[in-house]
Amino acid sequence: MPVEQLSRPQIDARSTDTLIDRTLSVWDPRSECRFVVARPTEEPELWEAYLEGAVAGYRKYGAEKALEYRRIQGGDTTAIFFVAIEPNGSVAAGVRVQGPYLSAGQAHAITEWSNHPGAPAVRRMIEDRLPFGVVEAKGAWVSDTAARRGELVGALGRIATFSMDLLDVQFMLATAASHVLDTWRTTGGVVADHIAPVPYPDDRYETRLMWWDRSRRRGRAEAMQLAQLLLTTSRPTPSAAIATGAGGGVVRPMRSVS
């Protein structure tokens, strides 16, 4: 399926002020994990657990360069991050999100395609979508020891798409190695087939550009899960409460969900 061409923007400008203002969580029955989303500064212990898992996961494949640990460690380049917590309290998966972007040059995909023939097309696709709002998913990992690893892989990608709703943008982009494309397609991702893959972080990989569009309707189960996420808030130190399914009360709904 090709990436659709864009027409008139829905909005005139984007701001990085559209961040969530509290820690949120939702139970995922398929993976039997509780997913937590927060800003790094709000949940430093969970952020450290995310980083530890990411380092271990990327190191296993000799791909630490792609993680750029020193650049992201402080959390200031991350708008929000998601982690999956198993019933025993262990952090079993995670992904972080950058943006909303104000310029194409902020996107890491620009770096990945630098000095490659597809670079102008990557920049053009991002620039065309900036008026609609663009975020970028990075640093996804899933633990090899997760009890329901197969289900967790799909759940991580599916729930990461909620970042478009939480940050009130229409598009999310990500770069992915060819061997995981089919998994991300099941979450609504569309590969930009007209852009040639790049050997990133090295020649062992073929990395492709993918897009998710918030305006595409989700299934009923995903819509209900998103609604549950938006209406729950976690305690300031969530590890124990979240792992057992406990949480806080109902809070005001966020921005409208399309």
Side-chain angles (χ1 to χ4, degrees):
M1 181 189 300
V3 176
E4 293 183 357
Q5 296 299 311
L6 302 177
S7 54
R8 183 171 56 86
Q10 294 177 321
I11 51 181
D12 297 323
R14 298 308 308 172
S15 169
T16 56
D17 293 334
T18 57
L19 299 175
I20 61 172
D21 56 5
R22 63 193 186 278
T23 298
L24 304 172
S25 72
V26 66
W27 172 255
D28 178 61
R30 303 182 206 181
S31 62
E32 297 184 357
C33 288
R34 179 158 291 275
F35 278 81
V36 181
V37 55
R39 293 180 292 180
T41 54
E42 296 298 323
E43 298 292 347
E45 292 184 6
L46 283 181
W47 175 244
E48 285 299 319
Y50 162 78
L51 289 174
E52 289 177 9
V55 169
Y58 276 62
R59 182 175 292 155
K60 179 179 62 177
Y61 297 103
E64 298 99 317
K65 175 184 175 181
L67 185 62
E68 297 187 335
Y69 179 82
R70 292 189 180 277
R71 186 180 69 85
I72 70 171
Q73 180 183 15
D76 57 315
T77 62
T78 297
I80 55 177
F81 72 104
F82 297 78
V83 290
I85 301 179
E86 293 188 295
N88 64 7
S90 63
V91 175
V95 65
R96 66 184 191 89
V97 178
Q98 301 183 163
Y101 289 148
L102 301 178
S103 67
Q106 293 176 285
H108 196 270
I110 296 294
T111 300
E112 297 175 35
W113 265 265
S114 63
N115 302 318
H116 290 274
V122 171
R123 181 176 291 275
R124 186 161 54 249
M125 289 195 80
I126 297 171
E127 288 176 343
D128 287 348
R129 285 158 177 76
L130 285 176
F132 300 82
V134 173
V135 295
E136 184 174 15
K138 299 295 296 178
W141 62 272
V142 176
S143 172
D144 288 339
T145 63
R148 298 174 64 87
R149 190 177 191 279
E151 293 84 354
L152 185 52
V153 171
L156 180 66
R158 184 176 70 252
I159 292 178
T161 67
F162 295 167
S163 62
M164 292 182 286
D165 305 275
L166 296 172
L167 297 176
D168 196 17
V169 302
Q170 184 174 342
F171 293 101
M172 181 175 79
L173 71 94
T175 59
S178 297
H179 67 277
V180 299
L181 294 182
D182 287 344
T183 296
W184 300 144
R185 283 190 181 99
T186 66
T187 69
V190 179
V191 178
D193 288 319
H194 67 290
I195 298 177
V198 292
Y200 185 87
D202 56 49
D203 292 339
R204 295 173 298 164
Y205 300 93
E206 274 197 346
T207 293
R208 306 297 302 254
L209 182 68
M210 298 193 76
W211 288 96
W212 286 257
D213 185 342
R214 179 183 172 191
S215 68
R216 295 180 180 273
R217 297 183 63 86
R218 294 187 177 93
R220 183 172 179 271
E222 284 71 24
M224 291 181 62
Q225 194 171 46
L226 172 61
Q228 292 171 354
L229 177 71
L230 293 174
L231 291 175
T232 58
T233 183
S234 300
R235 296 169 183 172
T237 54
S239 52
I242 288 171
T244 58
V250 174
V251 296
R252 62 175 176 82
M254 299 190 71
R255 296 173 183 269
S256 59
V257 178
S258 58

